Amino acid sequence: MSGRRRLSSRILISLLVILTITSAVGFGLLAYAQRAELDRQAEQRALAIAETTAADPQIRQSMQDGGSGDTVQQIASRIETLSHASYVVVIDLHGIRHSHPHPELVGKQVSEPIEVRNGNPWVGIDHGSTGRSANAKAPLYGLDGALVGEVSVGIPERDIVQGFTSELTAFALYIGVALAVGVGASYLLARSLKRSTFGLELHEIAGLLQDREAMLHGIREGVIAFDPAGRVSVINDEARRLLGLGPALGETLEDLLPEGRLRRALSGELLSSSGSDELHVLTDSHCLAVNRMPVVLQGRELGAVVTVRDRTEIVGLLRELDSVRGLTDALRAQQHEFANRMHTLAGLLELGEQEQALEYAVELAGAERGLVAGIRERIDNSLMVGLIVAKTTVAAERGVRLVLEPESCLGADPGHLRRLLTVVGNLLDNAVEAASGSSPAEVRLLLRESPDEIEVRVADSGPGVPAGCAEAIFEDGWSTSPDRGTARRGLGLALVHRLVTRHGGTIEVSEGPGAVFRVRLPLPDSDPAPLGAVFTAAPPVLASGPVPGHKPGQEPELALTQGGARW
């Protein structure tokens, strides 16, 4: 319990000291001001007594006659007694006293000058023979109106001190009440602050802050925390790097990111509350896994924490593994086909049909050479030829025929080669998968190079793009097929779209049965980029209806028109 009270006690003591000091200073200033006010009031009271005395007809007559006799002393003593003044002294213009509380001083000359010769009263503090007092002097006129002297009256300091003491007692009571209220408020504030810090002491809070900073900026995971209002309260360097953000503290996702899948994923719209990494999101240069978890502490909702993991290399490796598996399946199919051919040749030789066996072997060799030669007649680039031959084998193993359009033509060193390989590979993979299972199962490829652009067109005989999904199909994560367990679905078309639009190209897709994708990349290629780079998405250019040259429902052309090789 003492540990939990430490912070609140420190806050309470600090506020109590502050309140005490400020109350003492305020009390002193108030006392000083009140004493000055009481002195002023005493001076005005003394002036009123002095003017009353100076207006007495007997004193005026006596002073006009020279002030002889005891009349002035008797009247002044009576007024002094009635008014509780410390003294009432009547002085002529020569400075001679005609009345005084001490009779032995009557007839003696005062040491101070006459202050009222100009006819105006005077007030001040006097330190005379009767002690400190508030003093006032009023001009004294004879009955004929001539100035004959002055009346000096003093109010004793004890009267001022008594009034000052009574008022200070009230002031002290008020300040004590205010101080007590301040102490109570300080105690409540300390308890409230203690609850706000969840019972942590100052050194514990400082240690947590240091640990948090070291952890946040030391891990290789992006971390973003949002407060209950949706503003960014914590963000580490890795999150800024992965998401391309600058100073983001205090801002909302709407201020930081444009509308799109990434913003919806970070806000939790695309994620469930299970806490698992459910989504890969593409940015300009990364493929990310996003996780969002709400934060609740002691029943209070404090916002949410989003973690972002870079999965670019892993996704690339998984896609490469998936491609290798496809090639392995194709090689296995070729092995089976090769074994069948060898068994046929062996059987013919065993039967002594040497000539027929020779013809069979020559026919097989010619067909294989014809396949490659037929592609070579239209495609001069060896990398692209190898890609098409490999995709042809994979497609055949899945029961899909791949047709290279007769008007295809591509030079030996075309522009955008690396990007072109990525685009063609991804589009053919999607097309073969879509056409698999249809009847007839067919994919048609057009590669055409002109001085201004390179055109890629891939058409398949599959179910096509659902109505209204022509835009969504290019978003990362969009797919009509389940994940295969290795490569994440819905990334291929997003990669192609970013790749094409980043380099000034366009990509079109038709809706309805038999999807047709058309890609145009402008020439010359002024910005070569590494194969597999990921680029910023832009709105797709949509096309409706079939692309010229492809007729859905028509019996597919299953062979190259030159070279005689069939796929």
Side-chain angles (χ1 to χ4, degrees):
M1 293 295 293
S2 60
R4 291 199 297 270
R5 288 196 300 266
R6 191 176 302 122
L7 177 59
S8 57
S9 300
R10 292 176 63 180
I11 295 174
L12 179 61
I13 293 173
S14 300
L15 290 177
L16 183 59
V17 170
I18 294 173
L19 287 173
T20 302
I21 293 175
T22 54
S23 299
V25 171
F27 183 79
L29 294 175
L30 184 62
Y32 177 81
Q34 189 62 25
R35 178 57 190 267
E37 176 63 19
L38 290 176
D39 285 344
R40 189 188 66 81
Q41 292 177 1
E43 291 170 354
Q44 294 300 316
R45 178 186 168 198
L47 179 60
I49 296 173
E51 289 176 343
T52 301
T53 304
D56 186 275
Q58 296 182 30
I59 292 179
R60 294 177 65 187
Q61 181 65 52
S62 178
M63 290 300 294
Q64 181 177 336
D65 295 339
S68 58
D70 296 332
T71 303
V72 174
Q73 174 69 9
Q74 292 174 359
I75 296 175
S77 297
R78 186 173 66 253
I79 294 174
E80 177 183 321
T81 302
L82 294 174
S83 63
H84 302 288
S86 60
Y87 59 86
V88 176
V89 179
V90 178
I91 307 170
D92 62 21
L93 294 178
H94 300 289
I96 303 300
R97 299 185 184 94
H98 292 265
S99 69
H100 197 276
H102 303 297
E104 65 273 12
L105 295 179
V106 175
K108 302 294 180 67
Q109 190 170 10
V110 297
S111 58
E112 300 87 1
I114 303 300
E115 300 286 353
V116 297
R117 292 185 182 276
N118 57 3
N120 297 322
W122 178 91
V123 294
I125 299 298
D126 180 36
H127 298 274
S129 59
T130 59
R132 187 179 185 277
S133 59
N135 179 237
K137 297 178 180 180
L140 177 61
Y141 296 95
L143 293 179
D144 58 1
L147 183 65
V148 294
E150 69 177 10
V151 178
S152 177
V153 176
I155 299 298
E157 186 180 30
R158 63 178 180 274
D159 293 348
I160 301 174
V161 172
Q162 288 177 355
F164 181 60
T165 302
S166 62
E167 292 195 9
L168 283 186
T169 302
F171 292 157
L173 179 62
Y174 297 152
I175 290 177
V177 172
L179 186 60
V181 172
V183 171
S186 300
Y187 176 74
L188 295 178
L189 176 61
R191 292 192 60 182
S192 175
L193 291 176
K194 190 71 173 179
R195 287 195 301 269
S196 299
T197 58
F198 301 100
L200 296 176
E201 299 298 333
L202 292 178
H203 67 278
E204 293 174 330
I205 296 174
L208 285 176
L209 179 60
Q210 294 175 353
D211 294 342
R212 190 199 74 168
E213 291 298 312
M215 178 190 67
L216 283 177
H217 299 289
I219 62 177
R220 300 301 298 172
E221 252 183 38
V223 177
I224 310 175
F226 298 93
D227 63 15
R231 295 184 296 267
V232 176
S233 57
V234 174
I235 183 170
N236 67 350
D237 296 336
E238 184 68 4
R240 289 192 176 95
R241 183 185 71 85
L242 294 175
L243 300 176
L245 301 178
L249 293 178
E251 299 189 48
T252 62
L253 284 175
E254 288 75 11
D255 301 328
L256 297 173
L257 297 172
E259 173 60 32
R261 189 174 179 83
L262 177 59
R263 192 172 88 182
R264 296 198 300 272
L266 294 179
S267 65
E269 296 179 24
L270 302 180
L271 303 175
S272 68
S273 58
S274 63
S276 59
D277 296 335
E278 301 176 8
L279 184 68
H280 287 151
V281 180
L282 293 178
T283 66
D284 280 0
S285 54
H286 302 283
C287 183
L288 307 176
V290 180
N291 176 289
R292 180 183 174 100
M293 287 292 293
V295 178
V296 179
L297 186 60
Q298 296 183 0
R300 285 191 292 168
E301 292 187 4
L302 303 181
V305 173
V306 175
T307 57
V308 182
R309 298 175 179 86
D310 189 358
R311 292 293 183 264
T312 307
E313 294 183 2
I314 295 177
V315 170
L317 290 174
L318 291 176
R319 293 182 65 83
E320 185 175 345
L321 175 60
D322 200 55
S323 298
V324 171
R325 285 184 176 179
L327 291 175
T328 302
D329 293 340
L331 290 175
R332 187 180 299 112
Q334 286 185 338
Q335 178 188 0
H336 293 163
E337 182 65 19
F338 180 76
N340 291 332
R341 292 173 182 177
M342 291 299 100
H343 292 159
T344 302
L345 285 174
L348 289 173
L349 292 174
E350 231 181 279
L351 295 173
E353 301 289 342
Q354 289 84 356
E355 292 183 5
Q356 192 174 354
L358 178 60
E359 291 176 2
Y360 180 67
V362 171
E363 181 183 354
L364 291 178
E368 296 296 333
R369 287 194 300 269
L371 172 62
V372 178
I375 300 175
R376 278 286 191 184
E377 289 180 3
R378 294 165 176 80
I379 310 297
D380 290 337
N381 183 268
S382 300
L383 292 175
M384 185 60 69
V385 171
L387 176 65
I388 295 174
V389 170
K391 296 299 181 183
T392 302
T393 305
V394 173
E397 196 272 335
R398 300 190 62 176
V400 179
R401 291 189 175 183
L402 189 57
V403 179
L404 181 64
E405 296 283 9
E407 60 267 32
S408 297
C409 60
L410 191 68
D413 188 20
H416 301 283
L417 176 58
R418 294 186 175 181
R419 286 183 286 277
L420 200 60
L421 292 169
T422 301
V423 170
V424 172
N426 278 283
L427 291 181
L428 287 180
D429 286 342
N430 288 339
V432 168
E433 183 173 349
S436 179
S438 62
S439 180
E442 175 192 67
V443 173
R444 303 178 68 87
L445 169 65
L446 170 68
L447 280 172
R448 184 162 50 199
E449 182 180 14
S450 67
D452 299 327
E453 66 178 13
I454 295 177
E455 179 184 359
V456 179
R457 189 175 70 216
V458 176
D460 63 70
S461 58
V465 178
C469 296
E471 288 189 34
I473 195 174
F474 293 109
E475 289 188 2
D476 46 286
W478 190 96
S479 179
T480 58
S481 303
D483 290 348
R484 290 189 293 261
T486 54
R488 175 77 178 183
R489 291 287 188 177
L491 296 180
L493 288 178
L495 285 169
V496 170
H497 186 268
R498 283 165 168 78
L499 194 66
V500 171
T501 55
R502 178 62 180 266
H503 292 274
T506 61
I507 180 169
E508 304 171 354
V509 60
S510 65
E511 294 183 355
V516 180
F517 289 85
R518 179 188 284 125
V519 174
R520 288 187 174 93
L521 290 170
L523 293 176
D525 176 13
S526 58
D527 184 19
L531 180 63
V534 184
F535 302 100
T536 303
V541 180
L542 303 177
S544 59
V547 177
H550 176 67
K551 299 178 181 180
Q554 173 182 304
E555 179 66 22
E557 180 182 346
L558 303 179
L560 293 170
T561 58
Q562 298 183 22
R566 298 182 61 84
W567 290 6

